[in-house]
Amino acid sequence: MEINRRHGGPYDRGSADSYYGRPFRPHYFTDGTYTSVEVTLGDMTVEEIVEYTRGFKDNEASGNFKDWG
């Protein structure tokens, strides 16, 4: 399965949530982040949830987290 990594998409949001230390909360935006409609878990397809989860897990595995120091 090819992952769509567009800004605001499920993979992007999953990796961003992990990077910023936010909780796991599958969602994405139909276009730009915070400038378009947010799609939440109840309205996501299985594929979109998988993409979000992969983005979150990929970032967790990389150890790339925001330094709040």
Side-chain angles (χ1 to χ4, degrees), residues 1-42:
M1 178 174 133
E2 185 174 332
I3 298 294
N4 181 345
R5 297 169 191 256
R6 76 163 180 84
H7 187 260
Y11 183 92
D12 173 71
R13 294 294 82 212
S15 63
D17 283 349
S18 167
Y19 175 79
Y20 287 108
R22 295 188 291 247
F24 182 89
R25 182 182 70 86
H27 69 285
Y28 71 94
F29 293 90
T30 56
D31 196 22
T33 303
Y34 304 118
T35 62
S36 64
V37 175
E38 181 178 8
V39 179
T40 56
L41 181 60

